[in-house]
């Protein structure tokens, strides 16, 4: 980040380097740290190990393979945005094969960043799921 003064400078570099989605750039910038060095010069750095992420990106983007019969047999919530290109409904069969007690919920008018696109609807989905789980535990 030599020569970059603040987050706005880094945000512009990210945009020039092909990260067009403003929300993604803002998310990435939450991992930016600033501190003064021994010469009292302001230095920017990543809080996360960028090289490790870069080296592992294929593994991070893939879905792990599981032994046949592997399941998580407890309640699990899968919420997805109706406008998301990674639409969870398309993957529901695979989800249910690993998570037979899954609750799969579509959040209307939300994309991939559903908590950002529709925060109230997303909170309502999560709260409803948690309340239902609490009631089931209380009744058992």
């Amino acid at each position: 980040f030599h020569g970059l003064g603040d987050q706005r400078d880094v945000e512009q570099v990210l945009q020039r380097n092909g990260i067009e989605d403003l929300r993604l750039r803002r998310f990435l910038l939450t991992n930016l740290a600033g501190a003064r060095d021994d010469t009292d010069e302001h230095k920017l750095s990543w809080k996360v190990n960028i090289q490790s992420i870069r080296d592992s990106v294929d593994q991070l983007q893939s879905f792990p393979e599981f032994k046949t019969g592997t399941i998580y047999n407890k309640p699990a919530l899968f919420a997805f945005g109706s406008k998301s290109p990674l639409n969870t409904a398309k993957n529901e069969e695979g989800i249910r094969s690993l998570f037979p007690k899954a609750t799969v919920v579509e959040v209307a008018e939300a994309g991939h960043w559903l908590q950002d696109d529709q925060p109230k609807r997303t909170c309502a989905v999560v709260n409803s799921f948690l309340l239902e789980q609490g009631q089931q535990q209380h009744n058992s």
Side-chain angles (χ1 to χ4, degrees), residues 65-135:
E65 302 226 0
F66 294 95
K67 291 187 254 178
T68 303
T70 299
I71 62 167
Y72 180 79
N73 204 23
K74 294 182 181 179
L77 173 64
F78 288 81
F80 66 96
S82 63
K83 297 180 178 181
S84 174
L86 306 174
N87 191 320
T88 303
K90 296 174 187 171
N91 304 309
E92 191 167 347
E93 184 179 330
I95 289 169
R96 293 203 181 281
S97 71
L98 293 168
F99 302 89
K101 295 184 179 178
T103 299
V104 180
V105 180
E106 178 179 284
V107 178
E109 300 300 314
H112 181 66
W113 303 88
L114 57 141
Q115 73 281 2
D116 187 48
D117 292 341
Q118 294 293 332
K120 289 181 182 175
R121 288 180 182 170
T122 303
C123 282
V125 164
V126 173
N127 286 339
S128 175
F129 175 78
L130 293 174
L131 284 171
E132 183 180 315
Q133 299 312 307
Q135 289 172 349

Side-chain angles (χ1 to χ4, degrees), residues 26-45:
R26 287 182 178 163
F27 171 73
L28 292 171
L29 291 172
T30 64
N31 291 288
L32 192 63
R36 301 220 174 264
D37 66 8
D38 295 341
T39 64
D40 204 34
E41 185 178 334
H42 187 75
K43 299 276 185 175
L44 296 172
S45 63

Side-chain angles (χ1 to χ4, degrees), residues 17-63:
N17 283 280
I19 302 175
E20 296 174 13
D21 186 316
L22 177 61
R23 287 181 296 179
L24 179 55
R25 290 194 310 270
R26 287 182 178 163
F27 171 73
L28 292 171
L29 291 172
T30 64
N31 291 288
L32 192 63
R36 301 220 174 264
D37 66 8
D38 295 341
T39 64
D40 204 34
E41 185 178 334
H42 187 75
K43 299 276 185 175
L44 296 172
S45 63
W46 292 113
K47 294 177 189 176
V48 296
N49 185 337
I50 293 295
Q51 187 61 48
S52 178
I53 293 171
R54 187 177 295 144
D55 292 344
S56 305
V57 73
D58 289 340
Q59 184 178 0
L60 292 168
Q61 291 178 335
S62 66
F63 193 78

